[in-house]
Amino acid sequence: SIAVNSGDIAFVTGHTTSTNFPTTSSAFKKSIGSELDTNAFVTAINANGQSLYYSTLLGGSKNTLGYAIALDSAWNAYLVGNTTDTDFPTAGNPYQDTLEGEGDGFLSKVVIAGDLRVTMTANKNGVAHNGYVTFYAHVTDLGPDTSNNVVFTDPIPSGWSYAGIYTTTTTCTTPQMGATSGSVVCNQSQLPKGSSFYVNVYLRAIASSGSTLTNTVTTSAQTQDLNQTNNTAKVVVTVQ
């Protein structure tokens, strides 16, 4: 069975007895004991057809077959099949967590998820009226999987005007120079585990002396994020 997501990545399921079936580094299960055993698999093939986006085995120590697969908008895979394994893996609070007959059907969700983290510093914590501050934002995927369609957003806060950016990512949209509203929005189609991109945002402090200004940035992805508590960063600057 096959399902194709919005990124033209093909997700395939079936079953294998191969002891060297190709799996990726973050696979839920990477090998089977012998060719007498059978496991289901979920394998995602990149749009170029030449590399794996994700691949894992699924099953216990005896016999598990994968029959059909479907995807949600976050690119998580839903797999149905049949198993005779008494040690078939379950998680959370399953409807049935043990084998009840010679063989049982199963529905498993295979989550492909990263952990995006954004941090930010500034070149100064105090600035003169009409002075400039550089905010250094850093987006990293902590894994275990690749994050897809990553978005970085920095809305221009009150008391600032936009003065430019520098970035290592692929595409950004920005307000006009001098704008006091709008957002810097940068996109990265794929961010593998351990990879990062940088966005330096230059803002001019137009608020009156004595004002306390906060710049807040966020990041998100189409694929699931396992820890959203580190998706926001902020820096406070005082106008002197």
Side-chain angles (χ1 to χ4, degrees):
S1 178
I2 185 171
V4 180
N5 68 14
S6 58
D8 291 330
I9 298 173
F11 285 69
V12 183
T13 191
H15 46 274
T16 182
T17 60
S18 176
T19 57
N20 60 351
F21 187 84
T23 58
T24 48
S25 60
S26 59
F28 174 76
K29 184 179 182 182
K30 295 184 178 181
S31 63
I32 56 179
S34 76
E35 292 184 354
L36 298 177
D37 304 324
T38 302
N39 269 188
F41 63 82
V42 175
T43 297
I45 303 171
N46 282 312
N48 62 15
Q50 299 176 351
S51 59
L52 296 179
Y53 174 74
Y54 180 82
S55 185
T56 188
L57 295 167
L58 178 65
S61 57
K62 188 177 180 182
N63 188 56
T64 296
L65 308 177
Y67 292 155
I69 193 169
L71 306 174
D72 63 20
S73 60
W75 300 2
N76 299 310
Y78 297 81
L79 176 67
V80 294
N82 182 270
T83 185
T84 61
D85 289 328
T86 57
D87 55 351
F88 183 84
T90 59
N93 184 26
Y95 176 78
Q96 177 183 318
D97 61 3
T98 59
L99 194 69
E100 297 292 341
E102 291 186 4
D104 282 345
F106 69 84
L107 168 62
S108 293
K109 179 181 180 180
V110 177
V111 175
I112 298 176
D115 176 12
L116 290 177
R117 179 186 66 192
V118 61
T119 59
M120 184 170 63
T121 59
N123 68 330
K124 59 186 72 173
N125 294 320
V127 62
H129 174 67
N130 285 330
Y132 293 86
V133 176
T134 303
F135 294 91
Y136 304 98
H138 182 202
V139 179
T140 303
D141 183 8
L142 302 178
D145 300 315
T146 294
S147 294
N148 284 78
N149 297 329
V150 177
V151 180
F152 165 88
T153 304
D154 185 2
I156 306 304
S158 176
W160 296 100
S161 65
Y162 174 71
I165 65 165
Y166 167 80
T167 182
T168 61
T169 190
T170 51
T171 58
C172 293
T173 59
T174 66
Q176 292 184 348
M177 294 294 290
T180 57
S181 61
S183 296
V184 173
V185 180
C186 298
N187 299 275
Q188 182 81 16
S189 59
Q190 282 195 348
L191 195 63
K193 174 185 176 182
S195 299
S196 303
F197 66 84
Y198 299 85
V199 184
N200 298 345
V201 180
Y202 311 118
L203 298 180
R204 182 184 180 191
I206 58 174
S208 59
S209 297
S211 299
T212 299
L213 306 179
T214 302
N215 187 25
T216 303
V217 298
T218 60
T219 189
S220 62
Q222 180 173 7
T223 41
Q224 187 167 325
D225 193 323
L226 295 174
N227 176 21
Q228 297 184 20
T229 62
N230 55 3
N231 291 172
T232 302
K234 61 180 63 178
V235 172
V236 177
V237 176
T238 301
V239 183
Q240 300 170 339

